Amino acid sequence: MLEVKDLVVNYGMIQALKGISFEVNEGEVIALIGANGAGKTTTLQTISGMLSPTSGQVLLKGQDITKIPGHKIVSLGMAHVPEGRRVFAGMSVLENLKMGAYTRSSKTEISDSLERVYESFPRLKERQSQLAGTLSGGEQQMLAMGRALMSKPNIILMDEPSMGLSPIYVEEIFNIIQSISKEGTTVLLVEQNAKKALAIADRAYVLETGNIVLSGDANALMNDDSIKKAYLGE
Amino acid sequence: MGFLTYLINGLSLGSVYAIIALGYTMVYGIAKMLNFAHGDVIMIGSYLVFIGMSNIGGEQTGVMQVVKVVVCLAVSMIICAILGMVIEKVAYKPLRKATNLAVLITAIGVSYFLQNIALLIFGSNAVSFTSIISWQGISLAGGALKITGNAIVTIIVCIIIMVALMLFVQHTKPGQAMRAVSEDRDAAVLMGINVNATISLTFIIGSGLAAIAGALLCSSYPALTPYTGSMPGIKAFTAAVFGGIGSIPGALIGGLLLGIIEILAKAYISSQLADAIVFAVLIIVLLVKPTGILGKQIKEKV
Ligand SMILES: Nc1ncnc2c1ncn2[C@@H]1O[C@H](COP(=O)(O)OP(=O)(O)OP(=O)(O)O)[C@@H](O)[C@H]1O
Ligand SMILES: [Mg+2]
């Protein structure tokens, strides 16, 4: 589904990604874990065309999308739930969700997707005319995820969806990610909450200052001593 | 009756400010910059209408006069829209990632550039703009209250533009894209919105409207020089801030209030002090409500 090859990304003099490669197969949930500043957000932003890499390639369903501008990516079947949610604060919940379907034209298909999003997030339906900026953090996260799903993606990138949420919300968000995956959407999940991410992932990659230092089966990584020490706090 | 006359003149001048303020407010909302060359696009638009009106088709009356005005206005709008688009592409787009200060200085540079071009072509002497509205207006209360055709048409045109623009922003895809880009540019890209095209469209609409504003302004205040755009430009910018920069209804309210305050201050206090009074009111409003009358400030929760 998604293949990243030797990706190098610089911010001026700072090299944020030092040549990383990984792949995400159809139907998988892949976790990308790492500490603050490891380069997780940079990776996702480069994949979705918000940043251009110095070198390397990004392939989506076999197509080279490295040079495709960011706004054309979503119609290729990839959605991105950005770090910090980035909902449109001055728009209502419903307007936010409709923005998620910006590239789609069939009204009936859009309202189908809306129904499905409301099924997954009943709370969004209750609050559909509320301004997004007045939602709680957890609700905003749900809105950001719902908005991404409105494009009917084949693969969805999520950047720290559990960040700053209370434990109950964290639980709920991870349940939703699992159900998104069950419905057939491939997931690339960036998380600092390594324990929860590994629990729902098929495979995982560990990023450390711009390099992938470890990868493998999520269960195996959960039992890996260095992972336990560095990321699971055991 | 004097007061009513002033009020209507104020509404008329305010309508022009409102139309100009739209250009500032939309560009600020969407491109996050102050396009100080906007006032000069008004001046260019006015000259274009002036040239058209004095060179095409000779003297006309009745329907043919209306046709002539519409054609001249349409041509001026198209040229101004293209000018706005080119200014954005050439001067501002390369600075998308530069500091606000660099963009501001560039905008001032573009403003002088347009003024100097106009000086080269038209010279510094004022030309006398013939009103595009030949209708004399109406006379009420046995002639005690006269409302000029200019005032009536200006106010109506302003209302039509405002309604059309709000419908456009609320109900069309490019309008929705504008809202999204003004809220969060990066998130808009993730939705599949072409930000460059959206910014370009904003300049096109704002500059096209500037052409209308210029023609209406010069119909009431006919001395047209290469500097005609700068003062109304600054005042309309003030109106946009006054109403809440970034807000379309704010541009309307700010523009109308500014026009009314200016005319009333001229009539009842002092015509020399009118501008100072206008700016004093602005400062007071901003002290009480820093975001302007309709300015919104929604804090995102973290
Ligand atoms: N716009 C920028 N300009 C310069 N350096 C940047 C920029 N964005 C990120 N960096 C640097 O690149 C590195 C990777 O940042 P990135 O945001 O990708 O990390 P992250 O893994 O997402 O961290 P976090 O968990 O804190 O979100 C960091 O050293 C960061 O300081
Ligand atoms: Mg990050």
Side-chain angles (χ1 to χ4, degrees), chain B residues 48-49 51-53 56 67-77:
Chain B
L48 289 169
V49 173
I51 294 170
M53 292 301 287
I56 301 171
V67 171
K68 183 176 162 185
V69 167
V70 169
V71 169
C72 290
L73 255 185
V75 171
S76 169
M77 281 177 76

Side-chain angles (χ1 to χ4, degrees), chain B residues 15 18-19 22 152-168 209 212 216 248 252:
Chain B
S15 295
I19 301 171
L22 278 176
I152 297 172
V153 172
T154 302
I155 293 168
I156 291 174
V157 167
C158 173
I159 294 170
I160 293 172
I161 289 174
M162 287 294 161
V163 171
L165 206 58
M166 286 199 238
L167 291 176
F168 174 78
L209 294 179
I212 299 182
L216 292 172
I248 291 175
L252 176 64

Side-chain angles (χ1 to χ4, degrees), chain A residues 53-108:
Chain A
T54 310
S55 62
Q57 267 188 319
V58 179
L59 306 176
L60 179 67
K61 300 173 207 168
Q63 182 191 355
D64 186 346
I65 60 164
T66 323
K67 298 226 153 52
I68 293 182
H71 69 271
K72 289 192 177 150
I73 299 279
V74 66
S75 39
L76 301 176
M78 182 154 72
H80 182 163
V81 185
E83 184 171 59
R85 299 145 204 153
R86 306 292 284 269
V87 295
F88 299 112
M91 294 189 193
S92 70
V93 166
L94 181 59
E95 285 173 324
N96 267 275
L97 292 173
K98 287 195 170 154
M99 286 313 309
Y102 184 80
T103 52
R104 301 172 67 190
S105 45
S106 156
K107 284 228 163 71
T108 51

Side-chain angles (χ1 to χ4, degrees), chain A residues 35-42 83 159-160 163 190 192:
Chain A
N36 286 116
K40 307 181 294 295
T41 298
T42 305
E83 184 171 59
D159 199 341
E160 304 206 38
M163 184 169 62
V190 156
Q192 283 200 48

Side-chain angles (χ1 to χ4, degrees), chain A residues 71 86 89-90 95 102 104, chain B residues 173 179 183-184 191-193:
Chain A
H71 69 271
R86 306 292 284 269
E95 285 173 324
Y102 184 80
R104 301 172 67 190
Chain B
K173 278 218 146 177
R179 282 184 76 197
E183 291 258 343
D184 188 327
M191 303 300 109
I193 292 165

